Amino acid sequence: SYELTQPPSVSVSPGQTASITCSGDKLEDKYVCWYQQRPGRPPVPVIYQDSLRRSGVPERFSGSNSGNTATLTISVTQTMDEAVYYCQAWDSYTGVVFGGGTKVTVL
Amino acid sequence: QVQLQESGPGLVKPSQTLSLTCTVSGDSIRSGGHYWNWIRQHPGKGLEWVANIYYTGSTNYNPSLRSRVIISVDTSKNQFSLKVSSVTAADTAVYYCARGKLELRDFYAYDMDVWGQGTTVTVS
């Protein structure tokens, strides 16, 4: 089955740039989307089709996908961006696949 | 505004069948164009996709759960449902329903743009 791998955690200082990676075999041959989840809340879609921002998502969120790695970048990170971020892709055999999630800490 | 609302018992006994329903408002399942999903999240863990269904009844399942899971749709009620049989404590989780879209561009793109608030199911 297809797998997506994310680092468990990323720390960033306020105002700096956070980069969250998502790795998978030939991931550039799939479209990746990203979700943000705050504690006790359902996931909120952030990025779809690798780099398109969902309506209402701040411009500081951007996405890319090349080779075996997709990246969610949060520029000028704010304390409100502290959350767990999940990547997700579609695999023809496995169906919907999520990465394990990356907890972003802003400190 | 599209909204999804999960409903079902919060407590299920081991070996029994867990049954959940997702009621959709603001969109018609019958209109097509979207897949309707169940996703679960074990306490303190990540997201696990369970299954999805199209209004025609076409289904996709997580291979690891396929043998115990059935997803169904009732277009007349604008609802879709999930049944998980022979539950154990490992099925204790928050269960979310979500609307998804599958598009073929250079490759397949699939994302879920509307999620329910989730319902907690405990097997005990």
Side-chain angles (χ1 to χ4, degrees):
Chain A
S1 62
Y2 194 79
E3 295 183 356
L4 295 173
T5 302
Q6 298 181 238
S9 63
V10 165
S11 295
V12 60
S13 300
Q16 299 302 304
T17 298
S19 295
I20 306 156
T21 58
C22 173
S23 300
D25 185 46
K26 298 179 182 178
L27 188 55
E28 66 181 352
D29 292 341
K30 302 181 185 299
Y31 282 108
V32 174
C33 60
W34 293 88
Y35 304 92
Q36 175 194 68
Q37 187 179 34
R38 296 191 173 100
R41 302 294 298 163
V44 173
V46 178
I47 296 286
Y48 67 107
Q49 292 180 20
D50 291 344
S51 61
L52 302 179
R53 272 189 306 276
R54 280 289 173 189
S55 175
V57 173
E59 290 185 8
R60 63 179 181 275
F61 288 87
S62 62
S64 63
N65 185 7
S66 179
N68 293 325
T69 303
T71 303
L72 175 68
T73 302
I74 312 173
S75 59
V76 194
T77 306
Q78 301 183 10
T79 54
M80 65 183 296
D81 300 329
E82 197 164 272
V84 178
Y85 292 84
Y86 294 92
C87 61
Q88 178 247 295
W90 171 267
D91 179 75
S92 298
Y93 298 101
T94 311
V96 176
V97 181
F98 287 103
T102 299
K103 183 175 182 179
V104 171
T105 302
V106 183
L107 43 70
Chain B
Q1 180 184 2
V2 181
Q3 292 185 315
L4 282 67
Q5 180 66 58
E6 306 90 349
S7 59
L11 183 63
V12 182
K13 295 184 186 304
S15 79
Q16 293 189 341
T17 295
L18 179 167
S19 296
L20 297 173
T21 296
C22 182
T23 300
V24 179
S25 58
D27 188 12
S28 170
I29 292 178
R30 191 181 302 163
S31 66
H34 291 95
Y35 281 81
W36 303 92
N37 299 264
W38 286 101
I39 304 98
R40 70 182 186 178
Q41 187 168 35
H42 296 106
K45 302 297 184 181
L47 302 171
E48 179 182 37
W49 175 73
V50 177
N52 68 19
I53 191 165
Y54 199 59
Y55 80 100
T56 57
S58 174
T59 58
N60 295 287
Y61 291 98
N62 183 323
S64 68
L65 296 169
R66 178 189 299 271
S67 64
R68 297 193 298 122
V69 171
I70 297 175
I71 188 171
S72 59
V73 64
D74 187 338
T75 56
S76 67
K77 295 182 179 179
N78 219 30
Q79 296 176 333
F80 61 105
S81 298
L82 180 73
K83 292 186 185 298
V84 182
S85 62
S86 305
V87 297
T88 69
D91 295 304
T92 293
V94 175
Y95 286 76
Y96 296 100
C97 56
R99 185 180 77 169
K101 190 162 190 175
L102 181 65
E103 293 183 77
L104 179 58
R105 296 184 175 271
D106 296 329
F107 343 101
Y108 280 108
Y110 191 91
D111 65 280
M112 292 171 278
D113 64 340
V114 182
W115 292 63
Q117 291 300 303
T119 187
T120 300
V121 177
T122 302
V123 178
S124 177

